[in-house]
Amino acid sequence: MSRTALAFDLDGTLIDSAPDLCASLNRVLTELDRPHVTLAQVKGFIGDGVRLLVGRALAATGDEAPEEETVRYVARFLEIYEAIPATPAQLYPGVAETLGRLKAGGYRLGLCTNKPQQATETLLPQLGLQGLFHTVVGGDVLPVRKPDAGHLRAVLDRLGGTRADSVMIGDNENDAAVAVGCGVPFIAMAYGYPRVPIEQLGAALVLERFADLPDALKRLD
């Protein structure tokens, strides 16, 4: 087993968060007397952090707000979103079992997500994923975030990972970009929220089921 440091995206890779994100955005939009966005639209907004998520919802329902107003809307969005209880049912099939199997098998697991740190740390125990990750680096922890390779590099450094023993697992072009930037293989999950055709991500492997990950990792060696 040579590739033992595994960095995971969260939204669209481990958890189907789009319904709760959509509901939270629409609460904010209702308060602003704006029309709602659809679930399909929100799936296209996800991946670049909460500031752009809210900004895209504003742009899709009228005009983007001045920055100082957007900051308030982001805070309100997070207040609403973090109050929605998550459950393990929101995990994609096989995620909890497979992560547990990987950790028990000696893999070092890290989370590389553009979701804010506090929101991420609130979610993990609700999802039943507490204690599985050796490190969690949210999108507001560093001066950079995905698609900047520095985000993934920080996760791998905390895992003690090197180019030779690390893998990035995600679902969209930001995850692919950080993998390329760090010179590590990228495994794409086909069920997530890619904004380009999955075959354009340049993944070493594309998986339909998360439970297939342990066998896929062996095929990288």
Side-chain angles (χ1 to χ4, degrees):
M1 181 177 65
S2 61
R3 295 196 179 271
T4 56
L6 308 181
F8 294 88
D9 173 52
L10 180 59
D11 298 286
T13 300
L14 304 183
I15 178 177
D16 184 9
S17 56
D20 283 352
L21 293 172
C22 184
S24 301
L25 284 171
N26 284 333
R27 282 272 305 277
V28 174
L29 293 170
T30 295
E31 293 173 3
L32 298 176
D33 293 322
R34 291 187 179 222
H36 284 187
V37 289
T38 67
L39 182 61
Q41 284 178 297
V42 171
K43 288 181 178 180
F45 299 161
I46 295 170
D48 298 301
V50 66
R51 167 61 182 82
L52 286 178
L53 178 75
V54 173
R56 286 167 180 158
L58 293 173
T61 58
D63 296 325
E64 282 206 60
E67 182 61 24
E68 62 273 15
E69 292 182 21
T70 301
V71 168
R72 293 201 302 272
Y73 303 154
V74 167
R76 177 59 178 147
F77 166 82
L78 286 172
E79 180 183 28
I80 294 167
Y81 178 65
E82 291 177 14
I84 300 175
T87 73
Q90 293 169 286
L91 294 170
Y92 288 108
V95 165
E97 299 85 352
T98 303
L99 291 176
R101 176 182 168 192
L102 290 168
K103 184 172 184 181
Y107 289 90
R108 305 184 305 283
L109 312 182
L111 205 53
C112 182
T113 175
N114 279 345
K115 188 185 290 293
Q117 188 78 12
Q118 180 177 322
T120 302
E121 292 180 351
T122 298
L123 276 176
L124 291 178
Q126 297 175 349
L127 296 169
L129 301 183
Q130 69 273 27
L132 287 175
F133 295 100
H134 293 77
T135 189
V136 175
V137 183
D140 57 352
V141 171
L142 306 169
V144 299
R145 62 172 180 259
K146 296 184 294 184
D148 192 298
H151 191 170
L152 176 59
R153 194 171 299 116
V155 174
L156 297 181
D157 285 347
R158 296 180 189 191
L159 292 176
T162 67
R163 180 179 297 187
D165 71 358
S166 302
V167 183
M168 177 68 197
I169 299 99
D171 71 303
N172 72 16
E173 61 273 22
N174 286 343
D175 303 318
V178 293
V180 170
C182 290
V184 303
F186 172 54
I187 295 179
M189 295 297 165
Y191 51 72
Y193 311 140
R195 291 173 292 197
V196 300
I198 198 78
E199 61 270 13
Q200 293 182 16
L201 294 181
L205 295 168
V206 177
L207 304 183
E208 298 287 343
R209 303 188 316 149
F210 195 86
D212 293 334
L213 182 58
D215 288 339
L217 291 169
K218 297 173 185 176
R219 305 209 310 268
L220 289 177
D221 298 332

